[in-house]
Amino acid sequence: MRTAGWATIGVLGLVIAEIVVFVVVAQAIGWAWAVLIGLATTVLGAMLVRREGMRAWRRFRAAVGEGRPPGGEVSDGLTGLLGALLLIVPGFITDAAGLLLLAPPVRHYTGRQVRRVTERRISPAAAGDLFGPRVVRAERTPPPAHPTGEPDGDVIQGEVVEGEVIDPHPNQHNR
């Protein structure tokens, strides 16, 4: 099945789940309160879209102005905007997801995930420009020895380094 087909099924499933949850909540607290809460979260989301958008734009401009890679600000801004947009969409499930995305720990985690996905989908050079250079923590290991003690024809001269890619400033990218 194509991606569009799965997306359609997912949206339909979400709509059905939102209706079911709304009916359950309305029966528990009353229809008027359920509608009022739904309207309040929509208004809150609209206000937050403006605030998050302006905040993301200011932080992006500041990073570019200071010569810093703007990727952390972009991923954080996208996460905040998505949270605010989910509050605008009617329904308690999307409201809960939007509020979670606006909570700092979830927002930081999601921003890091946006960065990881972006780094996988774009060229390493573009990722370096967007998020800054990658830092590698390395451990020195001796070159592999040939069983006869003679150099192997496939051995590349130089020191072998094994390592893992780490984020040099994990908190700086997702404020």
Side-chain angles (χ1 to χ4, degrees), residues 1-113:
M1 186 176 259
R2 297 180 321 206
T3 304
W6 286 113
T8 302
I9 290 171
V11 168
L12 286 174
L14 178 62
V15 168
I16 291 168
E18 289 283 16
I19 291 169
V20 169
V21 169
F22 182 81
V23 169
V24 169
V25 169
Q27 287 177 345
I29 67 171
W31 290 91
W33 283 109
V35 170
L36 186 62
I37 291 171
L39 290 174
T41 58
T42 299
V43 170
L44 175 65
M47 292 185 330
L48 287 174
V49 162
R50 180 180 166 91
R51 185 190 85 171
E52 291 295 325
M54 293 304 292
R55 178 177 174 236
W57 180 248
R58 279 193 306 270
R59 290 181 62 203
F60 171 78
R61 298 271 314 218
V64 170
E66 294 169 6
R68 291 184 291 118
E73 282 76 10
V74 170
S75 60
D76 183 65
L78 286 175
T79 303
L81 280 173
L82 179 60
L85 288 171
L86 285 172
L87 285 172
I88 292 175
V89 176
F92 292 117
I93 296 172
T94 54
D95 288 347
L99 289 172
L100 277 174
L101 283 176
L102 293 172
V106 176
R107 186 176 184 153
H108 295 284
Y109 174 78
T110 306
R112 285 192 307 269
Q113 297 310 311

Side-chain angles (χ1 to χ4, degrees), residues 121-133:
R121 293 183 180 255
I122 63 176
S123 72
D129 289 343
L130 187 58
F131 296 109

